[in-house]
Amino acid sequence: MMTAILDVRHYTHDDLAQIRQTILNIHADAYADNMTEFDERFPWFVDHWGGNPGFACVIAYDGDQAIGFAYGAPAAPEREWWREHLDPAPEKHRTFSYSELAVHPDWRKKGVADRLSRALMDGRDEDLAVLLVDVDHPRVQALYESWGYRKVGERQPFPDSPVYAVMIVELPLP
């Protein structure tokens, strides 16, 4: 499926200064054709998530060209907001908040997103992962469903953000 051997590198909170611009560049390329005002606030989100001591990020490289990333961080204990969407909520509670995935348009539909997601989740010690998918992107939601995530509700976390499907999966990924 992939046409090149990719190098997927792992980064943490301590690496944010080194990788921040790379993440921003990939995001700008990924959203170049439909950047919204909300998407333009992305640097704030990178700093917010990267400021979490548990921040984890993976970046895929083709040679020295960064072509995709995924990142997130553990949810704060007792603050698993997704629980409001489930009755009853699972007994398992340690949650990884999967915040962002972006792949350069030239590399889409080549297995990069799957590889990044699996690399990010591999070896996590949380019980569950949660993420948000814009409800106007059903193909993206279907991709996450193919990886075992299931939609449990909808949420609009900011007044100017899209409405998102709330999706969870038990870890490790199937």
Side-chain angles (χ1 to χ4, degrees):
M1 193 150 145
M2 282 193 293
T3 58
I5 298 174
L6 298 179
D7 178 18
V8 178
R9 302 176 196 168
H10 293 258
Y11 300 95
T12 68
H13 163 78
D14 295 334
D15 303 309
L16 184 60
Q18 172 192 345
I19 64 171
R20 183 179 187 274
Q21 191 60 51
T22 299
I23 293 169
L24 296 178
N25 291 346
I26 295 168
H27 184 267
D29 288 341
Y31 288 89
D33 291 339
N34 72 4
M35 182 76 66
T36 67
E37 284 186 38
F38 185 75
D39 294 324
E40 290 174 2
R41 292 194 353 232
F42 182 68
W44 180 88
F45 289 98
V46 172
D47 295 337
H48 170 76
W49 286 98
N52 184 314
F55 175 75
C57 179
V58 291
I59 300 176
Y61 294 85
D62 176 25
D64 61 357
Q65 179 189 8
I67 54 105
F69 70 84
Y71 71 72
E78 308 300 321
R79 297 200 55 204
E80 288 102 2
W81 53 266
W82 55 264
R83 290 181 166 278
E84 69 192 44
H85 297 284
L86 295 172
D87 187 22
E91 288 185 30
K92 295 179 178 185
H93 62 88
R94 294 175 309 138
T95 307
F96 183 78
S97 296
Y98 187 167
S99 178
E100 192 73 33
L101 168 66
V103 176
H104 188 284
D106 293 345
W107 284 88
R108 291 185 183 148
K109 298 183 181 182
K110 296 182 181 182
V112 176
D114 180 67
R115 179 136 180 233
L116 285 166
S117 291
R118 291 184 184 284
L120 182 64
M121 295 300 154
D122 188 41
R124 301 271 353 143
D125 65 358
E126 291 86 5
D127 303 309
L128 304 162
V130 64
L131 56 82
L132 300 174
V133 175
D134 187 329
V135 296
D136 290 336
H137 296 116
R139 291 188 321 194
V140 177
Q141 183 176 322
L143 178 65
Y144 284 109
E145 288 170 346
S146 77
W147 298 338
Y149 288 82
R150 67 186 173 96
K151 180 179 176 180
V152 297
E154 293 185 355
R155 177 182 182 98
Q156 185 177 19
F158 300 95
D160 63 339
S161 75
V163 173
Y164 293 102
V166 178
M167 301 186 76
I168 64 169
V169 69
E170 286 192 34
L171 296 176
L173 289 179

